[in-house]
Amino acid sequence: MRIAVCYNLTPATLRRGEERDRTADLGVAHEAEAVNEALAGLGHDTDLIVLDHDLHDFVLQLRKYAPQLVFNLCEGFCGNAHREMNVAALFELLNLPFTGSSALCLGLTQDKIKTKMLLSQKGLATPKFLSVSGKGKIVASL
């Protein structure tokens, strides 16, 4: 099987997110290389494709390689961890099967309050919570 192992480069400064997001992303190149080697060792045709600031180039590389599957290790785009869902959406728009969660799932889980509300509404157990604004006003609770 032809598999593209995709990961994003992490810029020196984040546009959105926390410094720990950047720290977590720094090891992804090593992870991608390990995944690539493991898949190749199993007999798959693999290629590492890096998502940097040039989205157009990323799409061109994907189209040129024409993978049957994308092993998605992208955790965001251009230093914005909240754009992780957009990368999954790109794979969906290109009709490329990929590992991991769908764009919708990634988008919903970026909002922890909405996620907890949805889980609760469907009868799934979730710990009680309280969200308070910077002014001390209760925003949401369960």
Side-chain angles (χ1 to χ4, degrees), residues 45-121:
D45 175 6
T46 63
D47 192 16
L48 284 170
I49 300 180
V50 181
L51 173 59
D52 199 352
H53 66 279
D54 189 344
L55 192 59
H56 180 69
D57 184 54
F58 182 69
V59 171
L60 287 177
Q61 287 182 59
L62 284 169
R63 287 184 182 236
K64 181 179 178 184
Y65 184 61
Q68 296 168 291
L69 176 72
V70 171
F71 198 105
N72 182 16
L73 294 173
C74 296
E75 298 273 336
F77 179 67
C78 286
N80 187 338
H82 293 274
R83 294 277 166 91
E84 180 179 17
M85 68 176 278
N86 299 88
V87 179
L90 177 65
F91 296 141
E92 290 171 358
L93 288 171
L94 294 172
N95 291 316
L96 292 172
F98 60 96
T99 61
S101 298
S102 70
L104 178 60
C105 178
L106 291 169
L108 286 173
T109 57
Q110 283 287 333
D111 187 326
K112 302 307 179 201
I113 293 171
K114 281 185 182 158
T115 299
K116 291 180 81 55
M117 297 284 209
L118 285 169
L119 292 172
S120 178
Q121 289 171 359

